[in-house]
Amino acid sequence: VQLVESGGGLVQAGGSLRLSCAASGNIISINSMGWYRQAPGKQRELVADITNDGTTSYSDSVKGRFSISRENAKNTVYLQMNSLKPEDTGVYYCNADQITYRNELGDPAWTFGAWGQGTQVTVSS
């Protein structure tokens, strides 16, 4: 099972970006998925998360500007980022708290706390 992010880049303050994270493998279901970010010299922090029934939560710093969504049929989570600020700069990581999948024998198996490789978001002032 792998998580692969895409959609990062360089944008001016006030601009928008949309991040995507696709989970691959013989996946049966995924519980909550979330986006974290890590700025240089700072700890990784939760930006937003979404449960498998669509309940969302956001950090105070991004409320009203970012929107998280998911397509369960595609095992994909998105992060729409609007009104970007320089302080949004960082590496954005996708996380899935519990993934149920079929192993090589076809039996259900689980992985916990899966992370993507990260995608860089840079917001210039």
Side-chain angles (χ1 to χ4, degrees):
V1 175
Q2 277 191 315
L3 299 178
V4 178
E5 300 103 334
S6 61
L10 172 65
V11 64
Q12 286 190 330
S16 298
L17 283 174
R18 189 190 194 212
L19 306 182
S20 300
C21 170
S24 62
N26 200 358
I27 294 171
I28 299 172
S29 65
I30 304 175
N31 282 5
S32 293
M33 301 185 78
W35 287 96
Y36 290 70
R37 69 185 178 194
Q38 187 164 19
K42 294 189 176 181
Q43 289 190 331
R44 192 174 297 188
E45 63 173 352
L46 177 64
V47 174
D49 62 15
I50 183 167
T51 64
N52 57 6
D53 65 357
T55 301
T56 60
S57 64
Y58 299 91
S59 68
D60 288 343
S61 62
V62 307
K63 275 181 186 175
R65 299 187 298 121
F66 290 12
S67 177
I68 189 171
S69 60
R70 63 190 285 175
E71 284 189 75
N72 291 336
K74 294 183 178 181
N75 297 315
T76 299
V77 64
Y78 306 97
L79 186 68
Q80 178 66 43
M81 305 186 293
N82 299 327
S83 302
L84 283 160
K85 304 176 181 180
E87 51 263 44
D88 294 319
T89 294
V91 179
Y92 282 68
Y93 297 91
C94 173
N95 172 269
D97 69 342
Q98 178 179 320
I99 300 175
T100 305
Y101 65 99
R102 293 204 181 276
N103 62 20
E104 57 273 16
L105 299 178
D107 297 323
W110 296 267
T111 185
F112 301 91
W115 291 93
Q117 82 287 353
T119 185
Q120 177 70 45
V121 171
T122 303
V123 184
S124 63
S125 56

